[in-house]
Amino acid sequence: MGLARTLLRIGVALCIASAARADDYVGQETCVGCHGAVSHAYASTVHGRALTAAAATTALMERGCESCHGPGRAHAMSGGRVQQAEGWLTFREDTPEAETLKSQACLQCHQGSTQRFWHGSAHESRGLSCSSCHTVMQPVSQRHLLSRPTEAEVCSQCHHLAGAQSRRTSHMPTRTTGGGPGAEGFMTCASCHNAHGSVAESLIDAHTINDSCTSCHAEKRGPFLWEHAPVSESCLGCHVAHGSIKPNLLRISAPRLCQTCHVQVLHVSEARAPGSRFVAGQSCMSCHSQVHGSNHPSGAFLTR
Ligand code: HEC
Ligand code: HEC
Ligand code: HEC
Ligand code: HEC
Ligand code: HEC
Ligand code: HEC
Ligand code: HEC
Ligand code: HEC
Ligand code: HEC
Ligand code: HEC
C-alpha cells in the first residue's frame, strides 16, 4: 500500500517534471498585457533589453519574463489567480527551498563569471539568494541591478560593523553614499570581496588577504632584501581592514604595536622606559622607517 503510493507519487512527480513543455510558456506579450506598470520599469533594465526575441542569443533568453519566472500558462490562463504551479516562481516565496530555486533561476545564465564559487559560499549557506542583494524588475542602482542605490548600503543592511568601521577616522575610501558630503568613491566593498563566493577566507576576492592588499599597494609586496616577517605573513597582523581609530588603519598605536612582538632588552624600545625620548612621536618608526621591508644593502634593521 505504502509502496504503491510512493510509486504513484514518483510517477506524478516525473510527469510534472517533464511537463514543462514549450506550450506551457505563453510568451512575454501575454505577461505585459496584465502587468503593464511592472513591465514598463523592467523594460529599461539590462534584462529588459537583452531578453527579447530580437536580442536573445539563446532559446532561454527568448522566453523573456518566463526565463526567470518559469512557464506561466497556468498563471496567465487563470487570470493571475494561480500562484503555485510546477516550475512557476513569483520570487515572493520565502522558505529555505525557495531561496535555492530563486538562485537557480538566475544561475541558469550566470554561473561562469564571478558567481562560480556561489555554491557553498558563506552567503549561499546562510540562506541568501541572488535577490537578497539584487532587484531586477526596476533599476534601483546605476550598475549591477543592486537592491539599494549603492553597494555599501546593500551590504551594511546586514553588516553593521563593517559599515561602522568604514566611518572611523582612518578607513578605506569606501564612503560613497549618494555622492553627498564625505563621499570618496575610490573603492567599494567589492574591491576586496566577492559577495558571490571565493576560494579565500572572508569572501576575499584573491587567493590570500595579502594578495588582495598588494594588488593595490604593490610596493608592499616585496620581495625585499630584508623582509619583516609579519608583513609577508599577513597585513592584518598590524592593520584592520575596514577602518581604525588609529592612524594608518593600525590595530593599536606604536610603540605598543611593535612591543606586542618585540621586547628588546637594552634598546630604546625597552618597555620599562615608556617616557624615553626615543619612542616619542613617530615612535619606533622614527628610526625603523621601513617597517614593511627594506631593499637597502644595510637595511637589516629596517632603518633605511
Ligand atoms: C531576470 C529575471 C526576471 C525576469 C526576466 C523577469 N522577472 Fe519578474 N521578478 C523577478 C524577481 C527576482 C522578482 C522579485 C522582485 C525583484 O527582484 O525585483 C520579480 C518580481 C515580479 C513581479 C512582482 C512585483 C514586483 O515588482 O515585485 C511581477 C508582477 C513580475 N516580476 C513580472 C514580470 C514580468 C511581467 C516580466 C517580463 C516583462 C518579468 N517579471 C521578467 C525576476 C525576473
Ligand atoms: C490575465 C492577466 C495576467 C496575466 C496574463 C499574467 N498575470 Fe501575473 N498576475 C495577475 C494578477 C491579477 C496577479 C495577482 C496580483 C496581485 O496579487 O497583486 C498576478 C501576480 C503575478 C505575480 C506575483 C506578484 C506578487 O505581487 O505576488 C507575478 C510574479 C506575475 N504575476 C508574473 C506574471 C508573468 C511572468 C506573466 C507571464 C507569464 C504573468 N504574470 C501573466 C495577472 C496576470
Ligand atoms: C535568460 C538568461 C538570464 C537569466 C535567467 C538572468 N539573467 Fe541576468 N543577465 C543576462 C544577460 C544577457 C545580461 C546582460 C549582461 C551580460 O552581457 O552579461 C544580464 C545581466 C545581469 C546583471 C548585470 C547588470 C549590470 O548592470 O551590469 C545582473 C546583476 C544580473 N544579470 C542579475 C541577474 C539575477 C539576479 C537574475 C535572477 C533573478 C538573473 N540575472 C537572471 C541574462 C540572464
Ligand atoms: C550578498 C550580496 C549579493 C548576492 C547574494 C548576490 N550578488 Fe550579484 N552582485 C553583488 C554586488 C555587490 C555586485 C557588484 C560587484 C562589483 O561591484 O564588481 C554584483 C554583481 C553581479 C553581476 C554583474 C557582474 C558580474 O559578475 O557579472 C551579476 C551578473 C550578478 N551579480 C549575479 C548574481 C547572481 C546570479 C546571484 C545569485 C547566485 C547573485 N548575484 C547574488 C552582490 C550580490
Ligand atoms: C541579507 C543579509 C546580507 C547581506 C545584504 C549581505 N550579507 Fe554578507 N553575510 C551575511 C550572513 C548571514 C553571513 C554569514 C555570517 C556568519 O556566518 O557569521 C555573511 C557573511 C559575510 C562575510 C564573511 C564571510 C566569511 O567567510 O566569514 C563577508 C566578507 C560578507 N558577508 C560580505 C558581504 C558584502 C561585501 C555584502 C554586500 C555586497 C554582503 N555581505 C551583503 C548576510 C548578508
Ligand atoms: C580593503 C579591503 C576591504 C574592503 C574595501 C572591505 N573589506 Fe571587508 N574584509 C576585508 C578583510 C581583509 C577581511 C578579513 C578580516 C579579518 O580576518 O580580520 C574582511 C572581513 C569582512 C567581514 C567578515 C567579518 C569581519 O568583520 O571580520 C565582513 C562582513 C566584511 N568584511 C564586510 C565588508 C563590507 C560590508 C565592506 C564595504 C563597506 C567591506 N567589507 C569592505 C577587506 C575589505
Ligand atoms: C582596490 C585597491 C585597494 C585595496 C585592495 C587595498 N587598498 Fe588600502 N588603500 C587604497 C586607497 C585608494 C587608499 C587611500 C590612499 C590615500 O588616501 O592616499 C588606501 C589606504 C590604505 C592605508 C592608509 C590609510 C590611512 O588612513 O591613511 C592603509 C594602511 C591601507 N590602505 C592598507 C590596506 C590593507 C591592509 C589592505 C588589504 C586588506 C588594503 N589596503 C587593500 C586602495 C586599496
Ligand atoms: C609589523 C606591522 C605591519 C604589518 C604586518 C604591515 N604594516 Fe602597513 N604599516 C605599518 C605601520 C607601523 C605603518 C605606519 C608607517 C609610518 O607611520 O611610518 C603602516 C602603514 C601602511 C600604509 C600607509 C602608509 C604607506 O606606507 O603607504 C599602507 C598602505 C600599508 N601600511 C599597507 C600594508 C600592507 C599592504 C601590508 C601587508 C602586505 C602591511 N601594511 C603590513 C605596520 C605594518
Ligand atoms: C606580529 C609580530 C610582530 C610585530 C607586530 C612587529 N614585528 Fe618586527 N619582527 C617580527 C619578527 C618575527 C621578526 C624577525 C625576527 C628575526 O628574524 O629574528 C621581526 C624583525 C624586526 C626587525 C629586524 C630585527 C632583526 O633582528 O632582524 C625590526 C627592526 C623590527 N622587527 C621592528 C619592528 C617595528 C618597528 C614594529 C612596529 C611597527 C614591529 N617590528 C612589529 C615580528 C613582529
Ligand atoms: C633612536 C632610534 C631607534 C628607535 C626609536 C628604535 N630603534 Fe630599534 N634599533 C635601532 C637601531 C640603530 C638598531 C640596530 C641594532 C643596534 O644598533 O642595536 C635597532 C634594532 C632593533 C631591533 C633588532 C635588535 C636585535 O638585536 O636584533 C629591534 C627588534 C628593534 N630595534 C625594535 C624596535 C622597536 C620595537 C622600537 C620602538 C619601541 C624601536 N626599535 C625603536 C634604532 C632605534
Side-chain angles (χ1 to χ4, degrees):
M1 183 58 194
L3 179 66
R5 199 179 294 153
T6 310
L7 285 175
L8 180 69
R9 214 177 279 153
I10 294 174
V12 170
L14 283 176
C15 285
I16 294 174
S18 59
R21 295 181 312 261
D23 54 2
D24 287 337
Y25 295 89
V26 293
Q28 177 146 320
E29 286 70 39
T30 312
C31 315
V32 173
C34 290
H35 294 288
V38 169
S39 305
H40 183 72
Y42 164 78
S44 62
T45 68
V46 179
H47 293 120
R49 292 192 298 269
L51 311 187
T52 61
T57 51
T58 66
L60 183 63
M61 287 167 75
E62 272 178 48
R63 301 216 191 276
C65 316
E66 292 169 296
S67 59
C68 290
H69 289 283
R73 178 163 299 278
H75 169 78
M77 291 307 136
S78 69
R81 279 193 308 281
V82 171
Q83 297 282 12
Q84 277 170 340
E86 189 64 28
W88 175 246
L89 209 57
T90 64
F91 292 94
R92 284 289 165 90
E93 303 85 349
D94 64 350
T95 61
E97 302 78 53
E99 298 307 315
T100 308
L101 288 175
K102 287 188 206 173
S103 293
Q104 264 159 13
C106 312
L107 290 166
Q108 294 177 96
C109 297
H110 298 291
Q111 49 184 344
S113 153
T114 61
Q115 296 79 33
R116 65 190 177 283
F117 300 117
W118 170 254
H119 291 297
S121 70
H123 284 142
E124 192 219 19
S125 53
R126 290 297 298 270
L128 271 71
S129 72
C130 314
S131 24
S132 306
C133 299
H134 294 285
T135 294
V136 302
M137 294 308 296
Q138 55 183 351
V140 175
S141 65
Q142 272 182 0
R143 297 175 64 215
H144 303 312
L145 296 171
L146 298 176
S147 59
R148 295 284 187 283
T150 67
E151 194 181 304
E153 287 172 84
V154 174
C155 313
S156 308
Q157 291 175 84
C158 300
H159 298 297
H160 303 285
L161 182 60
Q165 286 174 328
S166 66
R167 310 253 138 217
R168 292 179 176 170
T169 42
S170 174
H171 60 273
M172 279 301 180
T174 49
R175 298 178 186 171
T176 51
T177 328
E184 300 157 334
F186 289 112
M187 56 202 282
T188 67
C189 310
S191 304
C192 301
H193 294 290
N194 181 347
H196 303 129
S198 81
V199 288
E201 59 188 296
S202 299
L203 296 175
I204 291 295
D205 192 13
H207 288 291
T208 65
I209 289 173
N210 274 33
D211 280 351
S212 168
C213 308
T214 55
S215 69
C216 293
H217 300 290
E219 78 287 359
K220 307 283 191 287
R221 180 188 289 129
F224 294 106
L225 186 54
W226 307 104
E227 304 238 324
H228 189 195
V231 176
S232 35
E233 196 170 308
S234 173
C235 309
L236 302 186
C238 299
H239 295 287
V240 195
H242 302 132
S244 167
I245 50 171
K246 309 293 180 199
N248 288 303
L249 295 170
L250 290 174
R251 293 193 165 276
I252 49 177
S253 306
R256 280 201 302 124
L257 173 70
C258 314
Q259 287 164 340
T260 54
C261 296
H262 297 289
V263 187
Q264 298 297 121
V265 196
L266 299 178
H267 184 53
V268 281
S269 69
E270 228 178 320
R272 73 179 158 74
S276 163
R277 65 192 127 106
F278 297 113
V279 291
Q282 276 265 349
S283 167
C284 314
M285 285 88 78
S286 48
C287 298
H288 301 286
S289 56
Q290 307 302 308
V291 280
H292 299 102
S294 168
N295 280 323
H296 193 283
S298 39
F301 295 108
L302 310 176
T303 50
R304 62 192 86 191

